[in-house]
C-alpha cells in the first residue's frame, strides 16, 4: 500500500525487488491505472479496480494524488511535471485538479500549460511563441468532470507538449506473461502490432513481426539460438485458418508445436518479441519474468532488459523475487521495497555506500540481497 512515496532519478532500466506484499504489483498497477484513466476516463479506470475506496490508500479517505516528472520530450528541452488529483464528490469520482507545467527556457519561469479542476480550466494557446511574448491562455470546459484534459488537448495538433505526453502515456505496456495463455492457438489469422499483456496472441504477434520486419525476427532467432540449447528456429504458419508456432530443433527433423516445448522456451521467445519490438513501448512494465526460467538464463535476461533501454527502445521496469535475475542488474537501477506501519517504503541501492563498495569488489546484487544487505526486503 502506497502513501506519500517518492521515487527519484529513475534510470532507463529499473528493477524492483522485495518480499511478498511489499507493493511491487501495486506500483505497476499505478501506471496501468493512469494509462486507462487517460485513454478512457477516471471512473472506468477506478471501476476496473473495485472503485475509489479500493484504490485510495487504506486508512484514508482520499484524495488520490499522482505526480510524474518527465524529461527528454521532443516538444521541450525542460522537465515537464504532470499532477493529477482524483477525489469523490457526492460519491462520484472526479478530477479535482490536473496541472501540466514546465519552465520556458533554461532560466525561464514556471508555466502552467494546463490547469483544470472539476472539468473546467485554462490552457496556454501561444505555447510555440518565443522571446518575451505575453502569455495567452483561454478557458475550456470538458464534457465531464471525470475525464482528463490531457486526453482532449493531446489530440489537437497545436498543443505539442500535451500531444506528446498523451502519446507517451498511452504507449505504456504492462506485461504479466502467462504460459498457459501464450500456448493458446488463435482461431483466425490477422494482425497484431504488440504482444499482449498475458501473451495470448504470441503466435499472431510472431507472424506479424515475421512478415513485416523479417530482419528483426531473424535477430530474435539468433538470440534464441544463443540462449536455448539445440534451438534452430520458430516458424509461424497458418493451417486451417489458425496461426501455429512450430519450433525446430537441430536434432530432429519434425518441428514441435507450442504445447510440446518447455515453459522456458516459450517465455524467452515471448520476452524477446517484446524487447525487439520495432515499435517499442515508451514504458514496459514486466512482472516476475523469472517464472518458468532456469536460473542460469535469468542473468542473461536481465542484461537483455538493460540493453532494451540502452538501445532507446523505452524505459523498462521489472519486478522480481529472483536473486539470479538481480545478479544481472545494475546496482544503480535496483530499488527495494519494504513496509513500515503498513505502508510501502522505496529504497535505492545506488545510494547505499556499503552496497556500492561491495559490488565494486566483486559481490553480486542478488547475493547481497539473499544475505540480508537489503534491509527489510528478504527474498
Amino acid at each position: 500500500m502506497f502513501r506519500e512515496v517518492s521515487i527519484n532519478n529513475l534510470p532507463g532500466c529499473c528493477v524492483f525487488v522485495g518480499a511478498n506484499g511489499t507493493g511491487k504489483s501495486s506500483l505497476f498497477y499505478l501506471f496501468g491505472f493512469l494509462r486507462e484513466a487517460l485513454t478512457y476516463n477516471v471512473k472506468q479506470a477506478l471501476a476496473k479496480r473495485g472503485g475509489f475506496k479500493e484504490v485510495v490508500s487504506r486508512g484514508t479517505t482520499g484524495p488520490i494524488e499522482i505526480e510524474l516528472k518527465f524529461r527528454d520530450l521532443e516538444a521541450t528541452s525542460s522537465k515537464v511535471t504532470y499532477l493529477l488529483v482524483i477525489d469523490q464528490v457526492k460519491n462520484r469520482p472526479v478530477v479535482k485538479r490536473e496541472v501540466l507545467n514546465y519552465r520556458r527556457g533554461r532560466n525561464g519561469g514556471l508555466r502552467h500549460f494546463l490547469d483544470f479542476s472539476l472539468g473546467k480550466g485554462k490552457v496556454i494557446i501561444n505555447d510555440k511563441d518565443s522571446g518575451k511574448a505575453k502569455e495567452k491562455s483561454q478557458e475550456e470546459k470538458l464534457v465531464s468532470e471525470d475525464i482528463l484534459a490531457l486526453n482532449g488537448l493531446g489530440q489537437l495538433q497545436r498543443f505539442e507538449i500535451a500531444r506528446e505526453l498523451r502519446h507517451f502515456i498511452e504507449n505504456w505496456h504492462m506485461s504479466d506473461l502467462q504460459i498457459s495463455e501464450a500456448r493458446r492457438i488463435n482461431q483466425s489469422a490477422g494482425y497484431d502490432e504488440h504482444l499482449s499483456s498475458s501473451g495470448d496472441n504470441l503466435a499472431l504477434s510472431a507472424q506479424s513481426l515475421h512478415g513485416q520486419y523479417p530482419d528483426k525476427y531473424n535477430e530474435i532467432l539468433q538470440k534464441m539460438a544463443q540462449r536455448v540449447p539445440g534451438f534452430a528456429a520458430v516458424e509461424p504458419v497458418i493451417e486451417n485458418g489458425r496461426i501455429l508456432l512450430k519450433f525446430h530443433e537441430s536434432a530432429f527433423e519434425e518441428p514441435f508445436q507450442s504445447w510440446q516445448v518447455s515453459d522456458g522456451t516459450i517465455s524467452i521467445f515471448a520476452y524477446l518479441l517484446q524487447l525487439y519490438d520495432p515499435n517499442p513501448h515508451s514504458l514496459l512494465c514486466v512482472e516476475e519474468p523469472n517464472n518458468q526460467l532456469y536460473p542460469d538464463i535469468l542473468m542473461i535476461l536481465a542484461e537483455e532488459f538493460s540493453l532494451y533501454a540502452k538501445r532507446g527502445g523505452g524505459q523498462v521496469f521489472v519486478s522480481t523475487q529472483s536473486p539470479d535475475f538481480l545478479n544481472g542488474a545494475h546496482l544503480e537501477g535496483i530499488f527495494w521495497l519494504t513496509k513500515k506501519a503498513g505502508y510501502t517504503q522505496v529504497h535505492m541501492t545506488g545510494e547505499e555506500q556499503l552496497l556500492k563498495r561491495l559490488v565494486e569488489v566483486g559481490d553480486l546484487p542478488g547475493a547481497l540481497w539473499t544475505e540480508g544487505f537489503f534491509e527489510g526486503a528478504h527474498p
Side-chain angles (χ1 to χ4, degrees):
M1 185 61 64
F2 286 83
R3 183 181 184 183
E4 297 182 6
V5 170
S6 178
I7 309 176
N8 299 307
N9 302 317
L10 293 166
C13 182
C14 302
V15 180
F16 296 90
V17 63
N20 288 332
T22 52
K24 299 187 299 297
S25 294
S26 296
L27 177 62
F28 285 11
Y29 290 159
L30 165 67
F31 297 107
F33 167 76
L34 184 56
R35 184 195 61 196
E36 290 179 18
L38 176 67
T39 305
Y40 306 107
N41 56 54
V42 167
K43 181 180 179 180
Q44 188 169 336
L46 287 170
K48 187 175 179 179
R49 292 158 179 81
F52 183 87
K53 292 182 180 179
E54 292 299 317
V55 176
V56 70
S57 298
R58 292 292 171 91
T60 69
T61 57
I64 301 167
E65 184 172 323
I66 303 169
E67 184 178 81
L68 301 174
K69 296 182 183 293
F70 302 86
R71 62 177 184 268
D72 300 329
L73 296 181
E74 293 182 2
T76 177
S77 58
S78 62
K79 289 184 179 179
V80 173
T81 299
Y82 181 67
L83 171 68
L84 177 63
V85 182
I86 300 169
D87 209 344
Q88 284 199 123
V89 175
K90 297 180 180 179
N91 292 320
R92 294 185 302 106
V94 297
V95 179
K96 187 175 182 179
R97 188 85 190 277
E98 183 183 9
V99 178
L100 192 159
N101 61 46
Y102 66 99
R103 294 194 180 276
R104 188 175 183 179
R106 179 170 295 183
N107 301 315
L110 192 66
R111 309 186 81 191
H112 279 40
F113 174 74
L114 66 83
D115 192 340
F116 277 70
S117 177
L118 301 177
K120 300 178 182 178
K122 293 183 179 181
V123 57
I124 295 175
I125 59 175
N126 61 335
D127 183 57
K128 292 184 179 180
D129 293 348
S130 58
K132 298 182 179 180
K134 186 178 180 179
E135 183 174 290
K136 296 180 181 179
S137 62
Q138 68 182 26
E139 298 278 349
E140 296 286 351
K141 184 177 181 179
L142 305 174
V143 296
S144 175
E145 296 178 354
D146 67 346
I147 66 174
L148 303 186
L150 184 62
N151 187 6
L153 297 175
Q155 297 182 57
L156 300 177
Q157 186 71 24
R158 67 180 183 274
F159 298 127
E160 288 187 346
I161 293 178
R163 188 179 74 251
E164 184 177 355
L165 189 55
R166 173 180 177 268
H167 176 72
F168 183 82
I169 294 175
E170 285 186 331
N171 198 29
W172 292 353
H173 183 70
M174 312 298 121
S175 173
D176 185 13
L177 183 66
Q178 305 294 319
I179 295 300
S180 59
E181 293 293 306
R183 293 184 188 277
R184 289 178 55 189
I185 298 176
N186 286 281
Q187 297 302 311
S188 62
Y191 172 79
D192 202 303
E193 184 179 2
H194 299 292
L195 186 69
S196 67
S197 177
S198 65
D200 63 353
N201 67 338
L202 179 64
L204 185 61
S205 181
Q207 185 213 35
S208 172
L209 188 66
H210 179 268
Q212 300 291 325
Y213 302 93
D215 291 342
K216 279 287 184 181
Y217 191 81
N218 288 332
E219 190 174 359
I220 291 173
L221 297 187
Q222 292 174 11
K223 289 285 184 178
M224 287 285 292
Q226 296 170 8
R227 311 309 190 205
V228 180
F231 173 85
V234 182
E235 180 186 8
V237 298
I238 300 177
E239 293 183 357
N240 300 320
R242 302 183 305 170
I243 304 174
L244 306 176
L245 289 178
K246 295 193 174 182
F247 290 77
H248 296 264
E249 291 193 15
S250 55
F252 299 94
E253 183 175 345
E254 291 295 321
F256 294 87
Q257 305 288 355
S258 59
W259 62 85
Q260 296 174 309
V261 298
S262 69
D263 290 351
T265 299
I266 294 287
S267 295
I268 294 172
F269 183 59
Y271 287 126
L272 288 176
L273 277 179
Q274 288 182 327
L275 296 175
Y276 288 87
D277 192 325
N279 298 299
H281 299 285
S282 52
L283 173 62
L284 176 62
C285 294
V286 183
E287 288 222 56
E288 303 290 349
N290 43 280
N291 293 336
Q292 293 94 29
L293 291 177
Y294 290 110
D296 56 351
I297 289 291
L298 291 173
M299 285 185 64
I300 296 172
L301 185 60
E303 293 172 2
E304 289 289 354
F305 282 117
S306 181
L307 289 173
Y308 172 83
K310 289 180 179 179
R311 288 195 302 267
Q315 202 165 19
V316 58
F317 293 172
V318 182
S319 69
T320 186
Q321 289 184 325
S322 167
D324 297 289
F325 185 92
L326 214 58
N327 283 335
H330 298 287
L331 188 67
E332 62 274 12
I334 300 174
F335 298 80
W336 87 85
L337 280 60
T338 62
K339 272 197 170 181
K340 183 177 181 181
Y343 293 102
T344 298
Q345 310 289 309
V346 181
H347 315 269
M348 185 173 181
T349 55
E351 295 178 349
E352 300 291 328
Q353 295 302 315
L354 175 59
L355 292 176
K356 291 175 70 175
R357 289 196 296 269
L358 290 172
V359 169
E360 286 172 358
V361 299
D363 283 308
L364 295 175
L368 295 174
W369 178 40
T370 303
E371 293 166 11
F373 283 89
F374 294 12
E375 186 176 354
H378 302 297

